[in-house]
PDB file of all heavy atoms in Angstrom:
ATOM      1  N   ALA A   1     123.296 -16.529 148.314  1.00 96.00           N
ATOM      2  CA  ALA A   1     123.739 -16.851 146.954  1.00 96.00           C
ATOM      3  C   ALA A   1     123.234 -18.223 146.534  1.00 96.00           C
ATOM      4  O   ALA A   1     123.126 -19.140 147.351  1.00 96.00           O
ATOM      5  CB  ALA A   1     125.259 -16.817 146.875  1.00 96.00           C
ATOM      6  N   THR A   2     122.917 -18.373 145.231  1.00 95.00           N
ATOM      7  CA  THR A   2     122.557 -19.675 144.685  1.00 95.00           C
ATOM      8  C   THR A   2     123.811 -20.520 144.538  1.00 95.00           C
ATOM      9  O   THR A   2     124.779 -20.103 143.893  1.00 95.00           O
ATOM     10  CB  THR A   2     121.884 -19.530 143.311  1.00 95.00           C
ATOM     11  OG1 THR A   2     120.700 -18.740 143.435  1.00 95.00           O
ATOM     12  CG2 THR A   2     121.514 -20.890 142.737  1.00 95.00           C
ATOM     13  N   LEU A   3     123.805 -21.702 145.144  1.00 95.00           N
ATOM     14  CA  LEU A   3     124.935 -22.618 145.043  1.00 95.00           C
ATOM     15  C   LEU A   3     124.754 -23.596 143.889  1.00 95.00           C
ATOM     16  O   LEU A   3     125.708 -23.900 143.178  1.00 95.00           O
ATOM     17  CB  LEU A   3     125.105 -23.394 146.355  1.00 95.00           C
ATOM     18  CG  LEU A   3     125.363 -22.555 147.609  1.00 95.00           C
ATOM     19  CD1 LEU A   3     125.392 -23.448 148.838  1.00 95.00           C
ATOM     20  CD2 LEU A   3     126.671 -21.789 147.469  1.00 95.00           C
ATOM     21  N   GLN A   4     123.549 -24.094 143.710  1.00 93.00           N
ATOM     22  CA  GLN A   4     123.253 -25.055 142.658  1.00 93.00           C
ATOM     23  C   GLN A   4     121.821 -24.881 142.189  1.00 93.00           C
ATOM     24  O   GLN A   4     120.936 -24.531 142.987  1.00 93.00           O
ATOM     25  CB  GLN A   4     123.433 -26.503 143.138  1.00 93.00           C
ATOM     26  CG  GLN A   4     124.841 -26.911 143.476  1.00 93.00           C
ATOM     27  CD  GLN A   4     125.745 -27.006 142.264  1.00 93.00           C
ATOM     28  OE1 GLN A   4     125.283 -27.083 141.123  1.00 93.00           O
ATOM     29  NE2 GLN A   4     127.043 -26.987 142.498  1.00 93.00           N
ATOM     30  N   THR A   5     121.613 -25.138 140.910  1.00 90.00           N
ATOM     31  CA  THR A   5     120.268 -25.276 140.355  1.00 90.00           C
ATOM     32  C   THR A   5     120.237 -26.597 139.596  1.00 90.00           C
ATOM     33  O   THR A   5     120.539 -26.642 138.409  1.00 90.00           O
ATOM     34  CB  THR A   5     119.909 -24.112 139.406  1.00 90.00           C
ATOM     35  OG1 THR A   5     120.096 -22.882 140.089  1.00 90.00           O
ATOM     36  CG2 THR A   5     118.464 -24.203 138.949  1.00 90.00           C
ATOM     37  N   PRO A   6     119.945 -27.699 140.299  1.00 84.00           N
ATOM     38  CA  PRO A   6     119.923 -28.998 139.625  1.00 84.00           C
ATOM     39  C   PRO A   6     118.949 -29.013 138.462  1.00 84.00           C
ATOM     40  O   PRO A   6     117.845 -28.466 138.550  1.00 84.00           O
ATOM     41  CB  PRO A   6     119.480 -29.962 140.727  1.00 84.00           C
ATOM     42  CG  PRO A   6     119.858 -29.271 141.999  1.00 84.00           C
ATOM     43  CD  PRO A   6     119.650 -27.812 141.718  1.00 84.00           C
ATOM     44  N   GLU A   7     119.365 -29.616 137.378  1.00 70.00           N
ATOM     45  CA  GLU A   7     118.556 -29.623 136.158  1.00 70.00           C
ATOM     46  C   GLU A   7     117.722 -30.886 136.076  1.00 70.00           C
ATOM     47  O   GLU A   7     118.116 -31.956 136.534  1.00 70.00           O
ATOM     48  CB  GLU A   7     119.460 -29.532 134.920  1.00 70.00           C
ATOM     49  CG  GLU A   7     120.247 -28.236 134.824  1.00 70.00           C
ATOM     50  CD  GLU A   7     119.358 -27.026 134.606  1.00 70.00           C
ATOM     51  OE1 GLU A   7     118.294 -27.180 133.984  1.00 70.00           O
ATOM     52  OE2 GLU A   7     119.727 -25.933 135.077  1.00 70.00           O
ATOM     53  N   GLY A   8     116.554 -30.751 135.462  1.00 59.00           N
ATOM     54  CA  GLY A   8     115.744 -31.919 135.128  1.00 59.00           C
ATOM     55  C   GLY A   8     114.837 -32.369 136.251  1.00 59.00           C
ATOM     56  O   GLY A   8     114.855 -31.846 137.352  1.00 59.00           O
ATOM     57  N   GLY A   9     114.001 -33.343 135.932  1.00 61.00           N
ATOM     58  CA  GLY A   9     113.166 -33.984 136.924  1.00 61.00           C
ATOM     59  C   GLY A   9     111.718 -33.550 136.940  1.00 61.00           C
ATOM     60  O   GLY A   9     110.886 -34.206 137.525  1.00 61.00           O
ATOM     61  N   SER A  10     111.395 -32.443 136.296  1.00 62.00           N
ATOM     62  CA  SER A  10     110.028 -31.942 136.367  1.00 62.00           C
ATOM     63  C   SER A  10     109.544 -31.522 134.992  1.00 62.00           C
ATOM     64  O   SER A  10     110.296 -30.992 134.187  1.00 62.00           O
ATOM     65  CB  SER A  10     109.964 -30.733 137.307  1.00 62.00           C
ATOM     66  OG  SER A  10     108.719 -30.087 137.212  1.00 62.00           O
ATOM     67  N   SER A  11     108.261 -31.747 134.749  1.00 64.00           N
ATOM     68  CA  SER A  11     107.657 -31.253 133.512  1.00 64.00           C
ATOM     69  C   SER A  11     106.950 -29.927 133.751  1.00 64.00           C
ATOM     70  O   SER A  11     106.354 -29.377 132.840  1.00 64.00           O
ATOM     71  CB  SER A  11     106.660 -32.284 132.962  1.00 64.00           C
ATOM     72  OG  SER A  11     105.602 -32.495 133.880  1.00 64.00           O
ATOM     73  N   GLY A  12     107.030 -29.420 134.978  1.00 76.00           N
ATOM     74  CA  GLY A  12     106.387 -28.152 135.251  1.00 76.00           C
ATOM     75  C   GLY A  12     106.457 -27.704 136.690  1.00 76.00           C
ATOM     76  O   GLY A  12     106.622 -26.539 136.972  1.00 76.00           O
ATOM     77  N   VAL A  13     106.367 -28.655 137.638  1.00 90.00           N
ATOM     78  CA  VAL A  13     106.331 -28.298 139.045  1.00 90.00           C
ATOM     79  C   VAL A  13     107.195 -29.263 139.858  1.00 90.00           C
ATOM     80  O   VAL A  13     107.070 -30.476 139.731  1.00 90.00           O
ATOM     81  CB  VAL A  13     104.888 -28.345 139.603  1.00 90.00           C
ATOM     82  CG1 VAL A  13     104.876 -27.979 141.083  1.00 90.00           C
ATOM     83  CG2 VAL A  13     103.971 -27.420 138.819  1.00 90.00           C
ATOM     84  N   VAL A  14     108.081 -28.693 140.682  1.00 93.00           N
ATOM     85  CA  VAL A  14     108.767 -29.473 141.716  1.00 93.00           C
ATOM     86  C   VAL A  14     107.997 -29.224 143.006  1.00 93.00           C
ATOM     87  O   VAL A  14     107.976 -28.109 143.514  1.00 93.00           O
ATOM     88  CB  VAL A  14     110.245 -29.069 141.860  1.00 93.00           C
ATOM     89  CG1 VAL A  14     110.915 -29.915 142.947  1.00 93.00           C
ATOM     90  CG2 VAL A  14     110.986 -29.232 140.538  1.00 93.00           C
ATOM     91  N   THR A  15     107.339 -30.241 143.489  1.00 93.00           N
ATOM     92  CA  THR A  15     106.338 -30.076 144.530  1.00 93.00           C
ATOM     93  C   THR A  15     106.893 -30.017 145.942  1.00 93.00           C
ATOM     94  O   THR A  15     106.259 -29.456 146.827  1.00 93.00           O
ATOM     95  CB  THR A  15     105.335 -31.238 144.460  1.00 93.00           C
ATOM     96  OG1 THR A  15     106.072 -32.467 144.557  1.00 93.00           O
ATOM     97  CG2 THR A  15     104.554 -31.226 143.155  1.00 93.00           C
ATOM     98  N   ALA A  16     108.059 -30.626 146.169  1.00 95.00           N
ATOM     99  CA  ALA A  16     108.560 -30.744 147.539  1.00 95.00           C
ATOM    100  C   ALA A  16     110.060 -30.948 147.537  1.00 95.00           C
ATOM    101  O   ALA A  16     110.612 -31.520 146.588  1.00 95.00           O
ATOM    102  CB  ALA A  16     107.877 -31.920 148.236  1.00 95.00           C
ATOM    103  N   VAL A  17     110.709 -30.494 148.616  1.00 96.00           N
ATOM    104  CA  VAL A  17     112.145 -30.736 148.799  1.00 96.00           C
ATOM    105  C   VAL A  17     112.400 -31.140 150.243  1.00 96.00           C
ATOM    106  O   VAL A  17     111.653 -30.767 151.154  1.00 96.00           O
ATOM    107  CB  VAL A  17     113.003 -29.501 148.446  1.00 96.00           C
ATOM    108  CG1 VAL A  17     113.011 -29.257 146.953  1.00 96.00           C
ATOM    109  CG2 VAL A  17     112.549 -28.265 149.203  1.00 96.00           C
ATOM    110  N   ALA A  18     113.472 -31.916 150.452  1.00 97.00           N
ATOM    111  CA  ALA A  18     113.887 -32.329 151.796  1.00 97.00           C
ATOM    112  C   ALA A  18     115.368 -32.662 151.754  1.00 97.00           C
ATOM    113  O   ALA A  18     115.878 -33.117 150.717  1.00 97.00           O
ATOM    114  CB  ALA A  18     113.086 -33.544 152.263  1.00 97.00           C
ATOM    115  N   PHE A  19     116.064 -32.448 152.862  1.00 96.00           N
ATOM    116  CA  PHE A  19     117.475 -32.797 152.970  1.00 96.00           C
ATOM    117  C   PHE A  19     117.644 -34.085 153.758  1.00 96.00           C
ATOM    118  O   PHE A  19     116.919 -34.322 154.735  1.00 96.00           O
ATOM    119  CB  PHE A  19     118.259 -31.698 153.696  1.00 96.00           C
ATOM    120  CG  PHE A  19     118.860 -30.653 152.802  1.00 96.00           C
ATOM    121  CD1 PHE A  19     118.219 -29.443 152.609  1.00 96.00           C
ATOM    122  CD2 PHE A  19     120.076 -30.873 152.166  1.00 96.00           C
ATOM    123  CE1 PHE A  19     118.771 -28.460 151.806  1.00 96.00           C
ATOM    124  CE2 PHE A  19     120.639 -29.898 151.354  1.00 96.00           C
ATOM    125  CZ  PHE A  19     119.987 -28.692 151.171  1.00 96.00           C
ATOM    126  N   ALA A  20     118.643 -34.882 153.376  1.00 95.00           N
ATOM    127  CA  ALA A  20     119.058 -36.014 154.190  1.00 95.00           C
ATOM    128  C   ALA A  20     119.838 -35.513 155.393  1.00 95.00           C
ATOM    129  O   ALA A  20     120.280 -34.361 155.442  1.00 95.00           O
ATOM    130  CB  ALA A  20     119.925 -36.962 153.362  1.00 95.00           C
ATOM    131  N   ALA A  21     120.031 -36.385 156.369  1.00 93.00           N
ATOM    132  CA  ALA A  21     120.648 -36.000 157.635  1.00 93.00           C
ATOM    133  C   ALA A  21     122.072 -35.492 157.473  1.00 93.00           C
ATOM    134  O   ALA A  21     122.528 -34.660 158.262  1.00 93.00           O
ATOM    135  CB  ALA A  21     120.628 -37.184 158.598  1.00 93.00           C
ATOM    136  N   ASP A  22     122.784 -35.953 156.454  1.00 93.00           N
ATOM    137  CA  ASP A  22     124.165 -35.498 156.259  1.00 93.00           C
ATOM    138  C   ASP A  22     124.241 -34.172 155.513  1.00 93.00           C
ATOM    139  O   ASP A  22     125.328 -33.599 155.367  1.00 93.00           O
ATOM    140  CB  ASP A  22     125.002 -36.554 155.535  1.00 93.00           C
ATOM    141  CG  ASP A  22     124.499 -36.866 154.126  1.00 93.00           C
ATOM    142  OD1 ASP A  22     123.557 -36.202 153.640  1.00 93.00           O
ATOM    143  OD2 ASP A  22     125.068 -37.787 153.511  1.00 93.00           O
ATOM    144  N   GLY A  23     123.106 -33.676 155.042  1.00 94.00           N
ATOM    145  CA  GLY A  23     123.081 -32.401 154.336  1.00 94.00           C
ATOM    146  C   GLY A  23     123.636 -32.434 152.934  1.00 94.00           C
ATOM    147  O   GLY A  23     123.654 -31.413 152.248  1.00 94.00           O
ATOM    148  N   LYS A  24     124.046 -33.594 152.478  1.00 93.00           N
ATOM    149  CA  LYS A  24     124.712 -33.698 151.180  1.00 93.00           C
ATOM    150  C   LYS A  24     123.759 -34.063 150.054  1.00 93.00           C
ATOM    151  O   LYS A  24     124.096 -33.898 148.884  1.00 93.00           O
ATOM    152  CB  LYS A  24     125.838 -34.726 151.250  1.00 93.00           C
ATOM    153  CG  LYS A  24     126.962 -34.351 152.201  1.00 93.00           C
ATOM    154  CD  LYS A  24     128.028 -35.427 152.254  1.00 93.00           C
ATOM    155  CE  LYS A  24     129.159 -35.043 153.199  1.00 93.00           C
ATOM    156  NZ  LYS A  24     130.198 -36.098 153.289  1.00 93.00           N
ATOM    157  N   GLN A  25     122.585 -34.582 150.421  1.00 94.00           N
ATOM    158  CA  GLN A  25     121.682 -35.111 149.404  1.00 94.00           C
ATOM    159  C   GLN A  25     120.260 -34.606 149.607  1.00 94.00           C
ATOM    160  O   GLN A  25     119.492 -35.194 150.366  1.00 94.00           O
ATOM    161  CB  GLN A  25     121.702 -36.645 149.424  1.00 94.00           C
ATOM    162  CG  GLN A  25     123.043 -37.252 149.093  1.00 94.00           C
ATOM    163  CD  GLN A  25     123.006 -38.767 149.109  1.00 94.00           C
ATOM    164  OE1 GLN A  25     121.970 -39.379 149.305  1.00 94.00           O
ATOM    165  NE2 GLN A  25     124.148 -39.368 148.894  1.00 94.00           N
ATOM    166  N   PRO A  26     119.872 -33.537 148.941  1.00 95.00           N
ATOM    167  CA  PRO A  26     118.465 -33.154 148.959  1.00 95.00           C
ATOM    168  C   PRO A  26     117.650 -34.045 148.018  1.00 95.00           C
ATOM    169  O   PRO A  26     118.194 -34.606 147.047  1.00 95.00           O
ATOM    170  CB  PRO A  26     118.478 -31.713 148.466  1.00 95.00           C
ATOM    171  CG  PRO A  26     119.720 -31.601 147.653  1.00 95.00           C
ATOM    172  CD  PRO A  26     120.710 -32.576 148.224  1.00 95.00           C
ATOM    173  N   ALA A  27     116.383 -34.189 148.323  1.00 96.00           N
ATOM    174  CA  ALA A  27     115.465 -34.925 147.456  1.00 96.00           C
ATOM    175  C   ALA A  27     114.346 -34.001 147.028  1.00 96.00           C
ATOM    176  O   ALA A  27     114.038 -33.018 147.700  1.00 96.00           O
ATOM    177  CB  ALA A  27     114.884 -36.134 148.181  1.00 96.00           C
ATOM    178  N   SER A  28     113.727 -34.321 145.900  1.00 96.00           N
ATOM    179  CA  SER A  28     112.602 -33.529 145.415  1.00 96.00           C
ATOM    180  C   SER A  28     111.545 -34.437 144.819  1.00 96.00           C
ATOM    181  O   SER A  28     111.852 -35.485 144.245  1.00 96.00           O
ATOM    182  CB  SER A  28     113.063 -32.509 144.368  1.00 96.00           C
ATOM    183  OG  SER A  28     113.659 -33.152 143.254  1.00 96.00           O
ATOM    184  N   GLY A  29     110.287 -34.019 144.962  1.00 96.00           N
ATOM    185  CA  GLY A  29     109.175 -34.699 144.315  1.00 96.00           C
ATOM    186  C   GLY A  29     108.679 -33.839 143.165  1.00 96.00           C
ATOM    187  O   GLY A  29     108.791 -32.604 143.213  1.00 96.00           O
ATOM    188  N   THR A  30     108.119 -34.477 142.131  1.00 94.00           N
ATOM    189  CA  THR A  30     107.751 -33.728 140.939  1.00 94.00           C
ATOM    190  C   THR A  30     106.373 -34.114 140.413  1.00 94.00           C
ATOM    191  O   THR A  30     105.806 -35.149 140.770  1.00 94.00           O
ATOM    192  CB  THR A  30     108.767 -33.971 139.788  1.00 94.00           C
ATOM    193  OG1 THR A  30     108.513 -35.259 139.191  1.00 94.00           O
ATOM    194  CG2 THR A  30     110.194 -33.898 140.277  1.00 94.00           C
ATOM    195  N   ASP A  31     105.883 -33.251 139.502  1.00 93.00           N
ATOM    196  CA  ASP A  31     104.629 -33.527 138.815  1.00 93.00           C
ATOM    197  C   ASP A  31     104.802 -34.536 137.693  1.00 93.00           C
ATOM    198  O   ASP A  31     103.832 -34.896 137.031  1.00 93.00           O
ATOM    199  CB  ASP A  31     104.026 -32.232 138.278  1.00 93.00           C
ATOM    200  CG  ASP A  31     104.874 -31.586 137.194  1.00 93.00           C
ATOM    201  OD1 ASP A  31     106.067 -31.946 137.066  1.00 93.00           O
ATOM    202  OD2 ASP A  31     104.365 -30.722 136.464  1.00 93.00           O
TER     203      ASP A  31
END
């Protein structure tokens, strides 16, 4: 199931994702 779809941050492509060690904070890189 989808838990979250964070909004914003990209004009077209989200290039990468990673989780922090606590699992509470994912990060993403964008175009």
Side-chain angles (χ1 to χ4, degrees):
T2 300
L3 300 175
Q4 294 291 342
T5 305
E7 296 294 330
S10 170
S11 62
V13 179
V14 180
T15 56
V17 289
F19 268 98
D22 62 5
K24 296 178 180 179
Q25 297 181 3
S28 60
T30 77
D31 65 343

